[in-house]
Amino acid sequence: MRILLIILFFLMVTQSLTSIMQVKYYQKFIRKITEKFDHCSTYELYTDVSKGSLFKTIVAVVIDANGKIINCYACKGLTIFARFRKEEVYHNITLAEIHQKRINQDRVNSIENVLDKIYLRKMEAISDI
């Protein structure tokens, strides 16, 4: 019983440390993006998460005033090992186009799913005004 408690304690400490590492990585990455686009007030940064059964997808997207994607970064996989990667496929596509694709197709990938969530959140904020 004592060994089981020691193992459980070790696993809890390990999980806490790796969670802290992931949060620090996320904060550093977001800070880097905001500093890069800080000079232009027409750009907006959005982030959102799509949780799968085992893996997570975190998307950070910079859009202009027209909703066109300037930069899109995705972090997919087991959170502890995943790193943000630039997704060039979505460059110069509008969030409205992603939303329309989601409406027309039954299945879209996890990044497009998150981009659609961002679009809907953005439209909800506009309609609340």
Side-chain angles (χ1 to χ4, degrees):
M1 183 67 164
R2 182 182 236 179
I3 300 275
L4 183 61
L5 287 175
I6 291 171
I7 291 172
L8 183 62
F9 177 75
F10 176 76
L11 290 175
M12 289 173 55
V13 169
T14 303
Q15 180 190 15
S16 296
L17 291 175
T18 55
S19 294
I20 291 169
M21 288 172 33
Q22 184 63 28
V23 167
K24 293 289 185 188
Y25 169 74
Y26 178 81
Q27 290 173 338
K28 182 179 174 185
F29 179 80
I30 295 299
R31 190 176 317 113
K32 185 175 81 171
I33 291 176
T34 55
E35 287 172 359
K36 181 178 179 182
F37 291 100
D38 193 31
H39 66 280
C40 188
S41 63
T42 60
Y43 291 163
E44 299 173 353
L45 171 68
Y46 291 94
T47 62
D48 211 329
V49 178
S50 173
K51 295 179 183 175
S53 56
L54 184 59
F55 299 110
K56 244 194 242 192
T57 301
I58 305 170
V59 174
V61 63
V62 178
I63 60 171
D64 66 8
N66 299 321
K68 190 185 332 178
I69 297 172
I70 304 301
N71 279 332
C72 180
Y73 302 92
C75 179
K76 299 189 291 187
L78 288 172
T79 309
I80 219 171
F81 302 112
R83 295 291 179 245
F84 280 98
R85 296 194 194 327
K86 195 169 189 176
E87 298 290 334
E88 296 287 343
V89 174
Y90 303 105
H91 186 71
N92 286 328
I93 297 175
T94 64
L95 289 176
E97 290 174 304
I98 299 289
H99 179 68
Q100 193 61 43
K101 181 178 180 182
R102 175 111 161 93
I103 290 171
N104 295 336
Q105 292 181 355
D106 288 337
R107 304 245 312 128
V108 292
N109 67 37
S110 59
I111 296 172
E112 291 168 353
N113 187 31
V114 175
L115 289 172
D116 183 54
K117 284 172 49 178
I118 291 170
Y119 173 78
L120 293 173
R121 191 174 75 206
K122 183 173 172 54
M123 290 295 103
E124 182 179 303
I126 290 171
S127 67
D128 287 343
I129 293 176

